[in-house]
């Protein structure tokens, strides 16, 4: 199938072909015609599926067909959970609207509001925003949402995870009731379904390729290692492999900072990206990483969510996430849009049950290796980590010779599934 058969205008097709895309992704094939028909859409799609173009292209087409209003009030609003995702969606909107008379801008917190307000005053058709700053400016009467025709909630599950439900409800209350609503989410919890019920009007459900398909394209490996040896093993793997552009995940902000210092002291350029970093520091880290001046980006899950770094060759889980779905999101950063990638996890004894749950979710065993000199500690406890740190008390011996398919495990029922705010 080609983009030409989706009902998009020539101006949009030209912008798509400028990006070098020839075939619409599955979510684009399904969502674009429905959105063009004016339907409300509930889409199950994670980052990496091409979802952004999936809602942006038809949204721009509908706006460009509509009656241009003299004052240029905001007619389409895209809400995102994080500043980084907002910035990326904005980049996409700008690229796809190159040949259209459509103005767009992005607003998010953590930076001076004045330039954002000045741009809004000049009139924009499409606004991409994080909920907090949007409400803030709305409360100051610096923007109006009274002319919204299309609302997009991007990564709605993360918005709820991050506690934005109240803000979203407040935003709904100041928009016209008659509008088209598009809700994108990687997961469908009870809360997401309730939100969808509240917001969407006779929605059509659209699903992207199952998550496992993304995982299939990725070469995954586990290195069993003693907890205290992880930093040195990471340095060795990066140096021996001569790897460039490596995204490393840690569970905590503190862990991200500590590891970044260790890498720098080993002459590997690295920067951390997490919730405690200023917007300026995050943008600098991401830019450096994309340009290649920063070799390793050390990130926590929430900070990394939605980062668009095409063709990322290496993703390393310095620690496994305690939510198995987060593993799929993390490694989804590699092997995107058809390119293959390598996803490595450094797993200590206390993460054994996390590994077992991940393998259950993805439906396969991940090949396991042990590097000489970095063997797992045979006396370490396999009790799961609580709240991302600390060790359990019950010590169980761990096999020194693990191989694919025989991961040791202790009971995982008591593991803490509470997501940490990073
Ligand atoms: P997204 O899921 O929106 O974050 O997009 C994931 C990546 O795929 C981005 O780098 C897009 O630029 C890219 N992309 C989006 N649509 C296509 C397409 N039809 N063909 C190839 N790449 C695409």
């Amino acid at each position: 199938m080609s983009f030409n058969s989706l009902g998009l205008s020539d101006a949009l097709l030209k912008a798509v072909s400028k990006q070098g895309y020839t075939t619409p992704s599955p979510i684009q094939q399904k969502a674009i015609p429905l959105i063009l028909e004016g339907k409300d859409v509930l889409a199950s799609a994670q980052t990496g599926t091409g979802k952004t173009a999936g809602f942006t292209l038809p949204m721009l087409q509908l706006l460009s067909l509509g009656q241009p209003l003299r004052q240029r009030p905001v007619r389409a609003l895209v809400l995102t959970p994080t500043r980084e995702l907002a910035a990326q969606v904005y980049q996409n909107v700008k690229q796809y609207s190159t040949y259209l008379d459509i103005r767009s801008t992005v607003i998010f917190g953590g930076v001076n509001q004045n330039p954002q307000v000045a741009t809004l005053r000049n009139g924009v058709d499409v606004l991409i925003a994080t909920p907090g700053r949007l409400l803030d400016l709305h409360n100051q009467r610096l923007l109006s949402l009274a002319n919204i025709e299309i609302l997009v909630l991007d990564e709605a599950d993360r918005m709820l995870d991050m506690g934005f439900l109240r803000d979203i409800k407040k935003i709904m209350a100041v928009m016209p009731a008659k509008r088209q609503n598009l809700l994108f989410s990687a997961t469908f919890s009870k809360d997401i379904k309730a939100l969808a019920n509240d917001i969407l009007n006779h929605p059509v459900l659209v699903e992207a390729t199952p998550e496992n398909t993304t995982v299939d394209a990725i070469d995954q490996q586990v290195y069993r290692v003693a907890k205290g040896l992880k930093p040195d093993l990471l340095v060795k793997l990066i140096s021996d492999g001569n790897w460039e552009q490596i995204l490393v995940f840690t569970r905590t902000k503190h862990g991200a900072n500590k590891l970044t210092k260790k890498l720098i002291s080993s002459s590997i350029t690295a920067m951390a990206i997490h919730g405690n970093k200023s917007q300026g520091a995050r943008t600098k880290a991401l830019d450096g990483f994309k340009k290649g001046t920063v070799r390793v980006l050390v990130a926590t899950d929430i900070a990394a969510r939605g980062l668009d770094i095409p063709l990322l060759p290496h993703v390393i889980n310095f620690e496994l996430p305690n939510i198995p779905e987060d593993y799929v999101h993390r490694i989804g950063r590699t092997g995107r849009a058809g390119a293959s990638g390598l996803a490595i996890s450094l797993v200590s004894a206390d993460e054994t049950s996390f590994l077992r749950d991940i393998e259950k979710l993805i439906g396969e065993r991940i090949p396991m290796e042990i590097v000489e000199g970095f063997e797992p500690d045979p006396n370490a406890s396999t009790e799961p980590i609580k709240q991302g740190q600390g060790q359990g008390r019950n010590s169980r011996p761990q096999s020194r010779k693990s191989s694919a398919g025989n991961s040791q495990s202790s009971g995982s029922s008591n593991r803490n599934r509470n997501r940490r705010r990073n």
Side-chain angles (χ1 to χ4, degrees):
M1 188 193 242
S2 84
F3 275 100
N4 294 342
S5 54
L6 293 176
L8 294 169
S9 67
D10 288 347
L12 285 164
L13 291 175
K14 197 168 150 190
V16 166
S17 103
K18 200 175 165 192
Q19 295 302 311
Y21 307 154
T22 50
T23 314
S25 68
I27 192 83
Q28 291 164 359
Q29 291 180 24
K30 291 179 196 162
I32 291 174
L34 291 168
I35 299 172
L36 287 176
E37 277 176 37
K39 297 251 170 29
D40 275 16
V41 167
L42 175 60
S44 150
Q46 63 174 111
T47 206
T49 53
K51 68 183 168 68
T52 316
F55 63 75
T56 303
L57 292 168
M59 173 181 81
L60 290 173
Q61 172 138 334
L62 291 173
L63 291 176
S64 63
L65 292 176
Q67 208 64 327
L69 300 172
R70 231 169 18 108
Q71 301 284 324
R72 289 218 185 225
V74 181
R75 287 189 292 146
L77 173 66
V78 183
L79 282 178
T80 74
T82 64
R83 300 156 185 181
E84 285 79 11
L85 184 61
Q88 280 164 209
V89 172
Y90 174 52
Q91 286 307 321
N92 276 268
V93 170
K94 266 202 312 196
Q95 283 162 355
Y96 297 131
S97 55
T98 310
Y99 306 106
L100 296 171
D101 179 23
I102 294 272
R103 287 194 214 149
S104 55
T105 197
V106 62
I107 60 172
F108 45 70
V111 293
N112 187 340
Q113 73 171 42
N114 294 340
Q116 299 178 349
V117 173
T119 313
L120 285 170
R121 278 223 180 90
N122 286 333
V124 295
D125 305 287
V126 182
L127 179 61
I128 300 102
T130 52
R133 177 57 61 97
L134 182 78
L135 271 182
D136 205 4
L137 296 190
H138 190 269
N139 291 342
Q140 297 174 60
R141 300 191 188 290
L142 295 169
L143 74 89
S144 163
L145 299 175
N147 292 279
I148 295 291
E149 295 165 23
I150 303 173
L151 167 72
V152 183
L153 294 182
D154 194 9
E155 299 197 355
D157 47 351
R158 282 284 153 154
M159 278 200 258
L160 296 192
D161 280 352
M162 292 170 77
F164 283 134
L165 183 61
R166 278 185 59 169
D167 285 356
I168 293 171
K169 294 209 160 155
K170 282 186 199 156
I171 295 166
M172 296 305 135
V174 296
M175 283 194 286
K178 191 175 169 311
R179 51 168 205 262
Q180 186 176 6
N181 302 289
L182 315 172
L183 190 152
F184 284 72
S185 186
T187 54
F188 280 98
S189 63
K190 247 181 24 214
D191 290 344
I192 285 288
K193 285 182 190 147
L195 181 71
N197 253 342
D198 252 17
I199 293 178
L200 304 175
N201 190 13
H202 300 296
V204 184
L205 181 67
V206 167
E207 285 174 278
T209 353
E211 292 185 346
N212 291 9
T213 314
T214 320
V215 174
D216 284 346
I218 299 164
D219 190 7
Q220 302 170 70
Q221 287 171 12
V222 159
Y223 284 91
R224 282 279 184 185
V225 56
K227 200 182 189 74
L229 296 177
K230 281 189 181 188
D232 286 321
L233 177 58
L234 180 67
V235 168
K236 180 180 163 53
L237 290 172
I238 293 173
S239 308
D240 288 1
N242 252 329
W243 293 340
E244 300 293 334
Q245 240 196 2
I246 309 129
L247 180 60
V248 176
F249 284 95
T250 59
R251 208 174 355 237
T252 67
K253 299 177 231 189
H254 172 67
N257 289 338
K258 213 169 127 189
L259 184 61
T260 303
K261 279 195 193 132
K262 162 78 186 172
L263 290 168
I264 292 169
S265 73
S266 310
S267 306
I268 295 173
T269 51
M271 281 181 110
I273 184 162
H274 55 63
N276 283 1
K277 293 277 177 185
S278 70
Q279 185 55 32
R282 292 204 227 178
T283 308
K284 195 173 152 211
L286 190 58
D287 284 353
F289 187 61
K290 284 186 178 176
K291 277 194 223 121
T293 51
V294 174
R295 197 165 165 195
V296 181
L297 193 64
V298 185
T300 55
D301 286 294
I302 288 182
R305 177 75 175 178
L307 287 185
D308 184 16
I309 307 152
L311 308 180
L312 198 59
H314 302 104
V315 168
I316 300 184
N317 296 307
F318 184 76
E319 289 142 338
L320 284 181
N322 54 349
I323 313 272
E325 286 81 4
D326 280 349
Y327 174 84
V328 179
H329 289 141
R330 286 179 178 190
I331 73 166
R333 329 253 94 237
T334 168
R336 306 175 72 174
S340 67
L342 179 61
I344 285 180
S345 302
L346 308 188
V347 180
S348 50
D350 55 354
E351 295 170 298
T352 302
S353 63
F354 297 165
L355 178 62
R356 203 185 56 172
D357 289 350
I358 288 164
E359 290 183 329
K360 210 187 278 170
L361 176 77
I362 62 173
E364 63 182 282
R365 295 283 191 186
I366 308 171
M368 213 177 270
E369 281 184 43
I370 293 174
V371 177
E372 211 184 315
F374 296 88
E375 288 84 0
D377 177 355
N379 299 314
S381 166
T382 55
E383 190 71 10
I385 309 155
K386 294 244 164 60
Q387 295 288 332
Q389 10 218 314
Q391 291 265 33
R393 274 169 288 123
N394 302 338
S395 192
R396 272 199 205 185
Q398 168 92 6
S399 162
R400 283 175 72 93
K401 273 205 181 133
S402 314
S403 65
N406 71 346
S407 64
Q408 304 279 306
S409 65
S410 68
S412 65
S413 54
N414 61 342
R415 99 192 130 90
N416 189 319
R417 289 183 67 97
N418 288 341
R419 188 182 297 275
R420 293 173 58 80
R421 299 269 176 257
N422 282 305

